[in-house]
């Protein structure tokens, strides 16, 4: 089965060998305060920073999931209130998770075919952290680069970005925000169970002001450990090892992102040409990494089941669009050959 599911998603085929290498290297049984582990963590962080072109003064930590990042941000960076700008299920869930920890969380929702209107945002009202979703996996929208730079120039408040389904597949304007995070089962092409958190000096400064040290995953506590190339708790050493190996083999992000962008361009041309209706029509907010197609319930069910019979796993719709859309991951681990197979299938059934 070839999977186009947008998470968990296809892992790189090299993972098979890396798993064996991890087993034979002994890293899986090594103490996480040992030199061997610390060196592995250091080199993995370095590869991530180099391949993704992360600014030198931003720090990289590994935690367990994007969901955990929601809580870390709420506990350690939000003093009393946050503003969540969202248009889909993940951005909304982030708001809900945050509100349970910091009840001052507020939401600002915007439509599917628009970028949020910067003029309308109440960002001078004392919100500590502005929370945005770079790539909304539930509906296949992405915030335009211009939005990030506009938002940055408008506010000195901390900006946190969920880039779970775009980090390692798209160019991220790192300097336009303070916290970026992604779990690894999407564009990184890795098995689930870990997240990458990228943090600016301003965010660290904020964490010091908030001074939260109440939780095992408090940002300051995590940071103090990572500065020594250690972790606050016994880490997912296999996940870190696999991430390091994958980051060694992938091309620099400029190359990866331009290929993904080109493939997305082809998808957005192919689908309407063959009678498929896109969920998002405005080119400036269409995601490069998750493509959403809408149709009535019966048609979605029929296409997904015929695809499965042809050995192709499409992504279900998500949230509000669960039954009336399907999603196609356009992640780097998916090959051109696999994409051609899916296109041939979609082409054929569109004529039957
Ligand atoms: C998948 C996803 C998450 C949740 O990731 P977990 O690893 O399950 O915590 C959060 N946000 C976005 C945008 C996602 O795509």
């Amino acid at each position: 089965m070839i999977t186009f599911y947008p998470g968990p998603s296809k892992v790189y085929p090299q993972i098979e060998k890396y798993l064996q290498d991890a087993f034979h290297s002994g890293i899986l049984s090594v103490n996480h305060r040992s030199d061997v582990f610390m060196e592995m963590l250091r080199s993995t962080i370095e590869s991530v920073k180099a391949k993704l072109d992360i600014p030198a003064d931003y720090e990289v930590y590994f935690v367990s999931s994007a969901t955990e990042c929601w809580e870390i941000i709420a506990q350690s960076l939000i003093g009393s209130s946050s503003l969540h700008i969202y248009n889909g299920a993940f951005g909304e869930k982030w708001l809900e998770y945050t509100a349970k920890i910091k009840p001052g969380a507020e939401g600002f929702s915007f439509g599917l075919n628009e970028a949020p209107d910067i003029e309308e945002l109440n960002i001078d009202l004392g919100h500590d952290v502005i929370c945005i979703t770079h790539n909304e996996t539930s509906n296949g929208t992405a915030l335009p680069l211009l939005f990030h730079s506009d938002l940055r120039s408008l506010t000195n408040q901390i900006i946190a970005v969920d880039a779970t389904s775009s980090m390692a597949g798209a160019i991220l304007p790192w300097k336009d925000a303070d916290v970026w995070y992604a779990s690894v089962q999407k564009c990184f092409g890795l098995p689930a169970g870990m997240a990458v958190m990228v943090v600016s000096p301003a965010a660290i400064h904020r964490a010091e002001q908030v001074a939260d040290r109440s939780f095992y995953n408090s940002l300051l506590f995590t940071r103090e450990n990572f500065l020594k190339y250690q972790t606050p708790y016994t880490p997912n050493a296999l996940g870190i090892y696999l991430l390091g190996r994958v980051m060694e083999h992938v091309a620099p992000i400029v190359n990866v992102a331009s290929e993904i962008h080109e493939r997305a361009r082809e998808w957005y041309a192919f689908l309407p040409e063959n009678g498929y209706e896109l969920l998002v029509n405005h080119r400036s907010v269409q995601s490069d990494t998750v493509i959403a197609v809408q149709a009535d319930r019966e048609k979605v069910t029929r296409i997904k089941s015929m695809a499965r019979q042809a050995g192709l796993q499409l992504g279900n719709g998500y949230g509000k669009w669960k039954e009336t859309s399907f999603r196609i991951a356009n992640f780097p681990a998916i090959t051109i050959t696999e994409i051609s197979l899916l296109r041939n299938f979609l082409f054929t059934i569109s004529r039957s």
Side-chain angles (χ1 to χ4, degrees), residues 54-84:
I54 295 172
D57 59 348
Y58 279 44
E59 295 180 6
V60 172
Y61 319 131
F62 303 134
V63 296
S64 60
S65 65
T67 304
E68 186 189 10
C69 294
W70 293 341
E71 294 210 345
I72 293 173
I73 292 164
Q75 290 158 3
S76 297
L77 293 173
I78 298 172
S80 58
S81 76
S82 49
L83 177 64
H84 298 253

Side-chain angles (χ1 to χ4, degrees), residues 37-49:
F37 175 83
M38 284 155 59
E39 173 49 30
M40 197 262 292
L41 181 56
R42 190 196 60 74
S43 74
T44 301
I45 292 172
E46 246 165 47
S47 307
V48 170
K49 286 186 84 167

Side-chain angles (χ1 to χ4, degrees), residues 65-68 70 90 133 135 137 162 164-165 183 185-186:
S65 65
T67 304
E68 186 189 10
W70 293 341
F90 285 102
T133 304
N135 197 81
T137 322
D162 184 341
T164 299
S165 54
S183 36
Q185 73 275 19
K186 296 182 183 171

Side-chain angles (χ1 to χ4, degrees), residues 13-328:
Q14 288 91 337
I15 296 294
E16 183 177 4
K17 175 168 189 304
Y18 298 162
L19 284 167
Q20 278 177 0
D21 291 351
F23 182 84
H24 291 297
S25 73
I27 194 76
L28 304 182
S29 304
V30 131
N31 184 293
H32 59 291
R33 312 274 175 219
S34 68
D35 290 344
V36 176
F37 175 83
M38 284 155 59
E39 173 49 30
M40 197 262 292
L41 181 56
R42 190 196 60 74
S43 74
T44 301
I45 292 172
E46 246 165 47
S47 307
V48 170
K49 286 186 84 167
K51 283 294 167 62
L52 300 187
D53 205 17
I54 295 172
D57 59 348
Y58 279 44
E59 295 180 6
V60 172
Y61 319 131
F62 303 134
V63 296
S64 60
S65 65
T67 304
E68 186 189 10
C69 294
W70 293 341
E71 294 210 345
I72 293 173
I73 292 164
Q75 290 158 3
S76 297
L77 293 173
I78 298 172
S80 58
S81 76
S82 49
L83 177 64
H84 298 253
I85 304 168
Y86 65 92
N87 76 349
F90 285 102
E92 191 173 11
K93 264 197 205 175
W94 186 2
L95 166 63
E96 288 164 8
Y97 274 64
T98 303
K100 288 185 206 168
I101 296 174
K102 296 284 157 84
E106 270 181 48
F108 175 96
S109 68
F110 61 99
L112 209 52
N113 276 300
E114 62 189 25
D117 187 347
I118 271 241
E119 308 288 309
E120 262 187 61
L121 299 176
N122 292 325
I123 53 179
D124 289 326
L125 297 179
H127 295 288
D128 303 322
V129 178
I130 315 291
C131 300
I132 56 181
T133 304
H134 176 258
N135 197 81
E136 181 47 82
T137 322
S138 67
N139 58 26
T141 58
L143 289 168
L145 280 177
L146 193 62
F147 175 79
H148 293 275
S149 54
D150 283 353
L151 185 62
R152 177 76 294 170
S153 61
L154 210 66
T155 176
N156 284 323
Q157 286 147 319
I158 298 296
I159 300 171
V161 192
D162 184 341
T164 299
S165 54
S166 51
M167 190 186 292
I171 299 278
L172 300 178
W174 300 111
K175 291 275 183 182
D176 287 339
D178 300 293
V179 180
W180 297 84
Y181 59 85
S183 36
V184 297
Q185 73 275 19
K186 296 182 183 171
C187 287
F188 284 93
L190 283 159
M194 205 166 78
V196 177
M197 195 172 193
V198 179
V199 178
S200 78
I204 291 161
H205 184 65
R206 161 57 61 82
E208 283 162 352
Q209 290 172 328
V210 173
D212 153 51
R213 290 178 176 281
S214 307
F215 304 94
Y216 81 98
N217 58 359
S218 291
L219 191 67
L220 292 176
F221 192 31
T222 300
R223 171 169 197 252
E224 283 154 15
N225 278 272
F226 270 83
L227 289 179
K228 297 181 287 187
Y229 299 114
Q230 294 189 5
T231 54
Y233 50 88
T234 315
N236 180 352
L238 176 60
I240 297 170
Y241 176 88
L242 294 176
L243 173 62
R245 294 294 302 269
V246 163
M247 283 290 108
E248 273 165 36
H249 97 240
V250 296
I253 191 63
V254 269
N255 305 4
V256 173
S258 86
E259 170 155 7
I260 293 299
H261 184 70
E262 180 53 27
R263 289 186 193 182
R265 206 187 52 71
E266 290 168 12
W267 270 124
Y268 287 118
F270 169 89
L271 290 163
E273 272 165 24
N274 290 281
Y276 295 94
E277 194 183 341
L278 298 170
L279 184 58
V280 183
N281 291 302
H282 211 294
R283 184 58 191 117
S284 69
V285 292
Q286 282 169 342
S287 163
D288 278 354
T289 51
V290 179
I291 289 135
V293 178
Q294 68 175 330
D296 60 56
R297 240 166 253 251
E298 294 79 63
K299 191 169 174 199
V300 167
T301 310
R302 189 171 61 85
I303 293 174
K304 284 192 305 193
S305 104
M306 287 173 77
R308 258 195 309 278
Q309 283 164 29
L312 302 161
Q313 175 76 52
L314 293 168
N316 289 337
Y318 196 96
K320 191 157 107 187
W321 303 276
K322 191 171 175 54
E323 307 206 321
T324 52
S325 71
F326 64 85
R327 295 172 300 158
I328 303 169

